[in-house]
């Protein structure tokens, strides 16, 4: 795009991208795209893409479409090694800009046989390159901290933010490590990691409107859980 350089692998496991550089400095390098089956606890990761194509390729914007399947994670003994789910991911970038739109679909499409997927968690993990001296900031008042060996910053929208127009006061939480620092009805659904000369901001556009969702940053990763645990309490419980 000019300031941003992306590398996407056709042969290795699908990790969104192999590396991201901004003005020649590496911000992210690989990660994981996975989900965990709720009934068995089996974990599946995204295979190399079977199809890579340009959905749009113009002078100001480009959209790359990637399609593939999930497979059992290495080292797992799974009775039925087949995975019926696949992914469809679109990466959109703009000329002269450093923002990237990621549209990821966990697809359950089989015209021959009905299949119901029971999923505990599904996530996109980005391995950032800021190290232990980095700081993370969440979209909640007073939730920020340094990412040392055991440090983490997280934001969790575990229920719907409103019921009949009234805010649900414990629908969202944010904190540092094991400690909850903030509780409220909703947040803006973003989390940033920064060092002295680089920064990475992740924003989930459906964070409040389609819970339960969770963002987390530690000294190595930024994790976007687009399917995660609900927060306790009947009021505002999502329909999943």
């Amino acid at each position: 795009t000019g300031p941003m350089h992306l590398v996407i692998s056709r042969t290795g496991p699908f990790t969104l991208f192999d590396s991201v550089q901004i003005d020649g400095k590496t911000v992210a390098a690989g990660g994981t795209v996975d989900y965990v089956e709720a009934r068995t606890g089996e974990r599946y990761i995204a295979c190399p893409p079977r199809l890579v194509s340009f959905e749009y390729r113009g002078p100001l914007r480009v959209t790359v479409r990637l399609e593939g399947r999930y497979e059992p994670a290495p080292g797992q003994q799974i009775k039925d090694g087949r995975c019926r789910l696949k992914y469809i991911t679109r990466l959109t970038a703009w000329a002269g800009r450093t923002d990237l739109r990621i549209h990821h679909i966990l697809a359950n499409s089989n015209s021959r046989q009905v299949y119901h997927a029971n999923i505990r968690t599904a996530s996109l993990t980005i391995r950032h390159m800021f190290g232990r001296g980095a700081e993370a900031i969440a979209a909640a008042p007073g939730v920020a901290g340094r990412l040392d060996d055991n440090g983490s910053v997280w934001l969790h929208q575990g229920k719907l933010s409103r019921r009949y127009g009234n805010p649900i006061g414990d629908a969202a939480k944010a904190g540092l490590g094991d400690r909850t620092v903030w509780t409220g009805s909703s947040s803006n659904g973003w989390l940033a990691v920064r060092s002295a000369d680089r920064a990475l901001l992740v924003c989930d556009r459906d964070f409040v409107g389609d819970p339960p969702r969770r963002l987390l940053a530690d000294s190595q990763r930024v994790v976007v859980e687009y399917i995660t645990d609900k927060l306790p309490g009947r009021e505002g419980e999502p329909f999943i």
Side-chain angles (χ1 to χ4, degrees):
T1 66
M4 181 170 64
H5 181 74
L6 296 172
V7 177
I8 302 171
S9 174
R10 289 175 174 264
T11 58
F14 179 58
T15 61
L16 295 179
F17 30 71
D18 278 19
S19 68
V20 181
Q21 290 186 340
I22 304 295
D23 294 328
K25 296 179 180 179
T26 302
V27 175
T32 310
V33 176
D34 66 351
Y35 76 89
V36 176
E37 211 276 340
R39 181 176 56 85
T40 64
E42 296 164 350
R43 179 171 171 261
Y44 295 85
I45 62 173
C47 296
R50 299 195 302 176
L51 175 64
V52 180
S53 61
F54 286 103
E55 278 199 339
Y56 183 83
R57 192 176 187 180
L60 298 179
R61 175 174 65 85
V62 62
T63 297
V64 180
R65 177 183 172 122
L66 305 104
E67 293 187 36
R69 294 193 173 274
Y70 286 83
E71 66 180 2
Q76 288 196 133
Q77 298 295 325
I78 297 176
K79 293 181 179 179
D80 183 359
R82 296 175 302 158
C83 179
R84 298 177 176 87
L85 301 185
K86 66 178 185 178
Y87 63 85
I88 302 171
T89 304
R90 294 174 174 88
L91 305 177
T92 300
W94 292 263
R97 289 165 47 175
T98 59
D99 52 325
L100 177 70
R101 180 183 178 187
I102 301 170
H103 183 222
H104 180 77
I105 300 173
L106 181 62
N108 180 12
S109 303
N110 188 339
S111 59
R112 298 180 180 180
Q113 181 181 3
V114 175
Y115 173 67
H116 298 282
N118 190 2
I119 297 171
R120 179 186 301 166
T121 61
S123 62
L124 310 174
T125 299
I126 301 169
R127 186 164 63 92
H128 68 74
M129 305 303 292
F130 301 113
R132 294 186 300 167
E135 179 188 25
I137 306 168
V143 183
R146 300 192 72 81
L147 301 177
D148 55 23
D149 289 334
N150 300 313
S152 64
V153 176
W154 53 269
L155 183 66
H156 188 177
Q157 185 77 39
K159 298 188 291 184
L160 297 170
S161 63
R162 292 178 176 271
R163 185 172 185 267
Y164 299 118
N166 298 315
I168 299 173
D170 62 348
K173 296 180 183 294
L176 308 174
D178 296 330
R179 181 166 57 96
T180 299
V181 176
W182 172 86
T183 301
S185 62
S186 64
S187 78
N188 291 324
W190 60 262
L191 186 148
V193 180
R194 65 184 182 183
S195 63
D197 59 349
R198 291 170 290 180
L200 172 66
L201 185 145
V202 175
C203 179
D204 184 346
R205 301 192 310 165
D206 297 319
F207 196 77
V208 175
D210 188 21
R213 292 171 178 258
R214 188 169 182 260
L215 301 176
L216 177 142
D218 60 24
S219 61
Q220 298 182 356
R221 312 167 299 157
V222 174
V223 182
V224 179
E225 293 183 353
Y226 58 96
I227 300 176
T228 192
D229 298 327
K230 303 174 185 178
L231 288 174
R234 298 283 297 179
E235 190 176 31
E237 185 176 16
F239 296 102
I240 63 170

